[in-house]
Amino acid sequence: MLAPFSILLMFALILFPAQNDAYKVKRENMVKQQIQGRGVKNIMVLNAMRSVKRHLFVPSDQVPYAYDDRPLPIGYGQTISQPYMVAYMTSVIKPHPNMRVLEIGTGSGYQAAVLADIAKEVFTIEIVPEHGKMAAEKLKNLGYSNVKVKIGDGYQGWEEHAPYDAIVVTAGAEVVPPPLLAQLKEGGKMVIPVGSPYMTQTLKLIEKRKGKIITKNLMPVLFVPFTRESQR
Ligand code: SAH
């Protein structure tokens, strides 16, 4: 007779690949319907969205909804952005494998993982220590060795590793933080939601060309507020 442990192991071996395949199918559908379907074409972005396991970045009670077309709660009043938004923001910075990217608002670590799948190095800052610690641990365990997480106020950027080819801000800021503009490389791109807290914000693409700042409004969005150290 098989020991109970062996039976459990057999079940796990049969169920795990099936479960993984189910998530793979869900990711493929997510990419086709939500992302390609809305016009994101960049092949590196589509592949990153196919490969990063979003269900591993959400709390266990949210796993069944991980590939749904919406943001999800991740605790402490924060959210993991809608998959389309992650893909769109990644595509507008025109990512490439030599890039060094700064992200503000690590949250679950998912956007950082998508960026890390394409770029050379990702630096990400989170103001809620619990999120920062959890995301750093998760990214490390999943083998994203090109991501560095810092806990602090992203308003100041991360001077030590500046300048950056691109900056991705995933919290709604009232103004574009001047330190972030200063840490953007010549020719670099920043994508940032700007507006009043809890109101619709405007997603902006900011480019630094020959020292000039060129701003383009992309679309209305709703992100959790960009908080400051003094407000916490
Ligand atoms: N990119 C995240 C989305 C997180 S939501 C993901 O893929 O899951 C926005 C995050 O920005 C929240 O975790 C919030 O705590 C963080 N945040 C808000 N203001 C911040 C600031 N000033 N500096 C750094 N992080 C900030």
Side-chain angles (χ1 to χ4, degrees):
M1 207 184 92
L2 284 169
F5 178 73
S6 320
I7 297 172
L8 262 180
L9 192 67
M10 264 169 52
F11 267 116
L13 288 175
I14 295 164
L15 287 178
F16 263 135
Q19 190 63 277
N20 260 331
D21 280 355
Y23 289 129
K24 206 171 164 198
V25 171
K26 282 190 170 193
R27 272 200 301 284
E28 192 52 50
N29 289 339
M30 169 190 87
V31 168
K32 269 198 202 119
Q33 293 159 11
Q34 305 171 27
I35 299 169
Q36 279 182 302
R38 292 198 182 101
V40 174
K41 292 189 181 76
N42 186 304
I43 191 71
M44 283 185 284
V45 175
L46 298 177
N47 283 341
M49 298 301 291
R50 278 189 189 103
S51 91
V52 180
K53 295 180 169 140
R54 186 171 160 94
H55 64 278
L56 301 182
F57 289 87
V58 300
S60 52
D61 61 338
Q62 297 297 320
V63 169
Y65 319 112
Y67 297 98
D68 285 7
D69 190 13
R70 58 187 168 107
L72 295 172
I74 55 169
Y76 303 95
Q78 307 303 337
T79 55
I80 176 173
S81 308
Q82 178 193 19
Y84 167 67
M85 195 45 63
V86 173
Y88 179 74
M89 288 173 79
T90 310
S91 73
V92 297
I93 61 161
K94 300 256 186 314
H96 59 76
N98 294 326
M99 230 177 196
R100 296 169 68 257
V101 185
L102 174 68
E103 182 200 19
I104 309 299
T106 317
S108 67
Y110 177 69
Q111 169 79 72
V114 169
L115 290 166
D117 200 74
I118 304 171
K120 186 166 148 201
E121 281 178 292
V122 177
F123 302 90
T124 178
I125 308 176
E126 172 55 54
I127 204 164
V128 177
E130 292 81 357
H131 276 315
K133 280 182 207 143
M134 253 172 62
E137 192 67 23
K138 189 160 290 177
L139 289 160
K140 189 174 153 227
N141 291 340
L142 293 174
Y144 293 98
S145 54
N146 56 340
V147 185
K148 284 197 175 64
V149 183
K150 171 171 146 170
I151 291 164
D153 183 355
Y155 187 93
Q156 303 299 342
W158 197 338
E159 181 68 49
E160 192 189 340
H161 303 288
Y164 301 97
D165 299 292
I167 301 180
V168 175
V169 181
T170 67
E174 284 184 71
V175 292
V176 179
L180 296 185
L181 276 180
Q183 291 173 25
L184 191 62
K185 203 180 261 180
E186 171 59 42
K189 292 180 171 43
M190 170 168 19
V191 62
I192 177 169
V194 182
S196 305
Y198 301 109
M199 307 268 284
T200 308
Q201 302 123 7
T202 304
L203 190 67
K204 291 178 186 270
L205 178 66
I206 298 174
E207 296 185 60
K208 203 187 239 184
R209 281 194 224 139
K210 295 188 184 134
K212 277 203 188 131
I213 301 300
I214 298 153
T215 304
K216 193 173 153 192
N217 291 343
L218 300 175
M219 63 166 87
V221 287
L222 190 56
F223 276 79
V224 295
F226 192 107
T227 50
R228 301 298 316 281
E229 207 90 80
S230 56
Q231 297 165 342
R232 299 196 76 243

